[in-house]
Structures are given as C-alpha cells and as structure tokens.
Amino acid sequence: MAKIKNINGTSDNNCGCGSWLNHYYKNGGYKYEYCCEDKCVNKDLVGAHVQKDGSTDNSWYIIPLCKAHNASTTALEIGSRTLVSANKALTCEKK
C-alpha cells in the first residue's frame, strides 16, 4: 500500500489549469469521484499537495483528497492511485 503525507501551507500556490484538481485530471490522473484515501467516501475533492511517505523522493505531487483528508497531518493510505507531479514545468507548462 502506498502512503502519502500532506504538504501543509501550499494553498497560495497557483496553477494555470484553473485549480490543482483540474491539474491532476489534465495531466494524467484518473477522474475520481471519491477521496483517494482508501477508506473515504467523501466527494468534496480538492487537488492536494502531497509527498510520498517514507520515501527519499522529496518531489511534490497532486492527488484528489476530500477537504478533511487534505487537512490531515498523519500519513494516508492511497493504495495504487496515481500521483501527478505538481511541478508545472514537467506538466502543464511543459514546452
């Protein structure tokens, strides 16, 4: 099972996709109806900035989470769901 942790304090970051949730969908993510936390069925999704938990990979990623899980300070299980890079130079601003 993959685990992620939220990167708190990123709400001021902008993306030309209109929202970070749109960024996720436009850049290769599946269109989820529910929060990507394994046991959650909430539908109030946002594009959450996360990092892989327990990894040496310090990259930032986007994944759809509900507002409650987006505020979480503990590691979350997401199974095999796809993470999309938050690096705009590699995604939506790629030339």
Side-chain angles (χ1 to χ4, degrees):
M1 288 254 173
K3 288 188 177 186
I4 50 111
K5 59 185 176 184
N6 281 314
I7 305 170
N8 294 314
T10 61
S11 59
D12 289 340
N13 293 346
N14 296 328
C15 175
C17 294
S19 72
W20 286 106
L21 188 58
N22 285 341
H23 175 89
Y24 181 84
Y25 296 142
K26 288 181 177 181
N27 292 285
Y30 177 79
K31 191 153 186 162
Y32 292 104
E33 183 176 352
Y34 300 101
C35 177
C36 286
E37 195 280 331
D38 275 354
K39 295 179 175 90
C40 186
V41 294
N42 290 335
K43 294 184 175 185
D44 59 335
L45 302 180
V46 297
H49 287 80
V50 299
Q51 288 180 307
K52 295 176 182 176
D53 187 54
S55 173
T56 58
D57 179 357
N58 290 323
S59 300
W60 289 18
Y61 297 94
I62 304 296
I63 194 163
L65 293 178
C66 68
K67 291 177 182 173
H69 281 115
N70 188 39
S72 174
T73 57
T74 60
L76 303 171
E77 300 227 5
I78 60 164
S80 61
R81 291 179 179 84
T82 301
L83 297 172
V84 170
S85 176
N87 185 335
K88 296 180 283 188
L90 298 176
T91 53
C92 57
E93 293 177 359
K94 189 175 181 179
K95 305 237 182 225

